[in-house]
Protein backbone atom coordinates (compact mmCIF):
# COMPACT_ATOMS: atom_id res chain seq x y z
CA UNK A 1 0.00 0.00 0.00
CA UNK A 2 1.26 3.41 -0.91
CA UNK A 3 0.74 6.20 1.65
CA UNK A 4 0.93 9.65 0.05
CA UNK A 5 1.49 12.34 2.69
CA UNK A 6 -0.80 14.82 0.93
CA UNK A 7 -3.68 12.33 0.91
CA UNK A 8 -3.20 11.73 4.61
CA UNK A 9 -3.27 15.49 5.31
CA UNK A 10 -6.32 16.40 3.25
CA UNK A 11 -8.59 13.38 3.80
CA UNK A 12 -10.38 14.94 6.80
CA UNK A 13 -11.23 18.28 5.20
CA UNK A 14 -12.36 16.59 1.96
CA UNK A 15 -14.55 14.18 3.92
CA UNK A 16 -16.18 17.10 5.72
CA UNK A 17 -17.27 18.55 2.38
CA UNK A 18 -18.36 15.16 0.97
CA UNK A 19 -20.57 14.67 4.03
CA UNK A 20 -22.49 17.80 3.01
CA UNK A 21 -23.60 16.01 -0.15
CA UNK A 22 -23.91 12.45 1.07
CA UNK A 23 -25.59 13.23 4.36
CA UNK A 24 -27.81 16.08 3.28
CA UNK A 25 -30.35 14.14 1.23
CA UNK A 26 -29.32 15.82 -2.02
CA UNK A 27 -29.47 12.45 -3.76
CA UNK A 28 -32.67 11.17 -5.30
CA UNK A 29 -34.31 7.97 -4.17
CA UNK A 30 -33.80 5.64 -1.24
CA UNK A 31 -30.92 3.33 -0.59
CA UNK A 32 -27.25 3.32 -1.32
CA UNK A 33 -25.55 6.23 -3.04
CA UNK A 34 -23.44 5.25 -6.05
CA UNK A 35 -20.04 6.93 -6.19
CA UNK A 36 -17.37 6.67 -8.87
CA UNK A 37 -13.94 7.98 -7.95
CA UNK A 38 -11.80 8.80 -10.98
CA UNK A 39 -8.06 8.71 -10.38
CA UNK A 40 -8.07 7.01 -6.98
CA UNK A 41 -4.28 6.68 -7.01
CA UNK A 42 -3.01 4.72 -4.02
CA UNK A 43 -6.53 4.20 -2.66
CA UNK A 44 -6.17 5.89 0.72
CA UNK A 45 -8.96 8.39 0.00
CA UNK A 46 -11.27 5.75 -1.48
CA UNK A 47 -11.02 3.45 1.53
CA UNK A 48 -11.19 6.29 4.05
CA UNK A 49 -14.25 7.90 2.44
CA UNK A 50 -16.06 4.59 1.85
CA UNK A 51 -15.47 3.58 5.46
CA UNK A 52 -16.70 6.95 6.77
CA UNK A 53 -19.70 6.98 4.41
CA UNK A 54 -21.28 3.52 4.74
CA UNK A 55 -24.39 4.66 2.86
CA UNK A 56 -22.28 4.75 -0.32
CA UNK A 57 -21.16 2.09 -2.76
CA UNK A 58 -17.73 3.43 -3.66
CA UNK A 59 -16.21 2.48 -7.03
CA UNK A 60 -12.53 3.48 -7.19
CA UNK A 61 -10.71 3.67 -10.50
CA UNK A 62 -7.38 4.70 -11.92
CA UNK A 63 -5.65 4.88 -15.29
CA UNK A 64 -2.50 3.25 -13.92
CA UNK A 65 -2.76 -0.54 -13.64
CA UNK A 66 -0.03 -0.46 -10.98
CA UNK A 67 -2.31 1.59 -8.70
CA UNK A 68 -5.04 -1.06 -8.58
CA UNK A 69 -3.28 -3.45 -6.13
CA UNK A 70 -2.69 -0.59 -3.68
CA UNK A 71 -6.34 0.47 -3.88
CA UNK A 72 -7.48 -3.11 -3.24
CA UNK A 73 -5.02 -3.46 -0.35
CA UNK A 74 -6.46 -0.38 1.37
CA UNK A 75 -9.99 -1.77 1.08
CA UNK A 76 -8.88 -5.08 2.56
CA UNK A 77 -6.73 -3.60 5.34
CA UNK A 78 -9.45 -1.18 6.42
CA UNK A 79 -12.28 -3.74 6.10
CA UNK A 80 -14.43 -1.63 3.79
CA UNK A 81 -17.31 -3.78 2.51
CA UNK A 82 -18.97 -0.96 0.55
CA UNK A 83 -15.88 -0.34 -1.61
CA UNK A 84 -15.94 -2.22 -4.90
CA UNK A 85 -12.81 -3.69 -6.49
CA UNK A 86 -10.89 -0.99 -8.38
CA UNK A 87 -11.29 -0.70 -12.13
CA UNK A 88 -8.96 0.53 -14.83
CA UNK A 89 -10.41 3.73 -16.27
CA UNK A 90 -9.08 6.30 -18.73
CA UNK A 91 -11.27 9.34 -18.18
CA UNK A 92 -10.24 10.78 -21.53
CA UNK A 93 -12.14 7.93 -23.21
CA UNK A 94 -15.86 8.09 -23.87
CA UNK A 95 -18.12 7.27 -20.90
CA UNK A 96 -19.06 3.99 -22.60
CA UNK A 97 -15.56 2.79 -21.70
CA UNK A 98 -15.91 3.62 -17.99
CA UNK A 99 -16.30 0.10 -16.59
CA UNK A 100 -19.93 -0.38 -17.56
CA UNK A 101 -21.32 2.62 -15.69
CA UNK A 102 -24.70 3.43 -17.17
CA UNK A 103 -26.20 6.88 -17.80
CA UNK A 104 -28.00 8.59 -14.92
CA UNK A 105 -26.82 6.08 -12.30
CA UNK A 106 -24.23 7.95 -10.24
CA UNK A 107 -25.01 10.14 -7.25
CA UNK A 108 -21.43 11.40 -6.97
CA UNK A 109 -18.50 11.50 -9.35
CA UNK A 110 -15.34 12.28 -7.39
CA UNK A 111 -12.01 13.44 -8.81
CA UNK A 112 -9.21 14.38 -6.43
CA UNK A 113 -5.85 15.73 -7.61
CA UNK A 114 -6.34 14.71 -11.21
CA UNK A 115 -7.15 17.81 -13.21
CA UNK A 116 -4.03 19.79 -12.38
CA UNK A 117 -1.65 16.95 -13.30
CA UNK A 118 -3.37 15.44 -16.32
CA UNK A 119 -3.84 16.52 -19.91
CA UNK A 120 -6.74 18.82 -20.79
CA UNK A 121 -8.49 15.96 -22.61
CA UNK A 122 -8.84 14.19 -19.25
CA UNK A 123 -10.63 17.14 -17.68
CA UNK A 124 -12.83 17.44 -20.76
CA UNK A 125 -13.62 13.73 -20.55
CA UNK A 126 -14.45 14.02 -16.86
CA UNK A 127 -16.99 16.76 -17.49
CA UNK A 128 -18.49 15.00 -20.52
CA UNK A 129 -18.81 11.77 -18.57
CA UNK A 130 -20.34 13.56 -15.59
CA UNK A 131 -22.98 15.07 -17.86
CA UNK A 132 -24.10 11.60 -18.92
CA UNK A 133 -23.50 9.40 -15.89
CA UNK A 134 -24.73 11.55 -13.00
CA UNK A 135 -28.37 11.29 -11.96
CA UNK A 136 -30.40 14.50 -12.07
CA UNK A 137 -29.21 16.38 -8.99
CA UNK A 138 -26.00 14.33 -8.85
CA UNK A 139 -22.73 16.07 -8.00
CA UNK A 140 -19.36 16.23 -9.69
CA UNK A 141 -16.92 16.77 -6.81
CA UNK A 142 -13.42 17.93 -7.70
CA UNK A 143 -10.46 18.81 -5.54
CA UNK A 144 -6.98 19.95 -6.48
Amino acid sequence: MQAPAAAERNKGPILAVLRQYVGSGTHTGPGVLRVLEVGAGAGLHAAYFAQALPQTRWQPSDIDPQALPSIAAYAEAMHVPNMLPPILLDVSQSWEMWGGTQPNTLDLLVSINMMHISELRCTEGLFKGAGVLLKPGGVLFTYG
Side-chain angles (χ1 to χ4, degrees):
M1 292 185 330
Q2 303 166 14
E8 190 64 47
R9 281 191 309 271
N10 64 24
K11 69 183 184 184
I14 293 172
L15 176 61
V17 176
L18 285 172
R19 282 188 196 278
Q20 294 174 23
Y21 296 101
V22 172
S24 68
T26 57
H27 64 283
T28 57
V32 176
L33 298 170
R34 292 197 58 212
V35 180
L36 172 62
E37 181 180 358
V38 172
L44 175 98
H45 280 151
Y48 180 77
F49 299 147
Q51 186 177 60
L53 304 169
Q55 69 275 46
T56 65
R57 185 172 69 200
W58 201 277
Q59 175 64 75
S61 71
D62 205 273
I63 191 171
D64 183 359
Q66 294 181 351
L68 303 186
S70 181
I71 298 168
Y74 267 107
E76 184 176 340
M78 294 176 66
H79 308 292
V80 187
N82 58 320
M83 188 168 131
L84 299 170
I87 59 171
L88 195 62
L89 190 152
D90 180 350
V91 75
S92 71
Q93 299 296 310
S94 177
W95 65 267
E96 291 95 346
M97 306 298 291
W98 290 22
T101 305
Q102 296 300 304
N104 299 313
T105 59
L106 296 176
D107 296 288
L108 280 172
L109 181 53
V110 175
S111 176
I112 298 170
N113 291 328
M114 183 205 75
M115 290 191 297
H116 69 287
I117 62 169
S118 62
E119 298 177 17
L120 178 59
R121 64 189 177 100
C122 295
T123 300
E124 291 170 344
L126 177 67
F127 280 84
K128 287 177 186 175
V132 174
L133 300 176
L134 285 169
K135 293 178 181 176
V139 174
L140 171 60
F141 179 89
T142 64
Y143 173 90

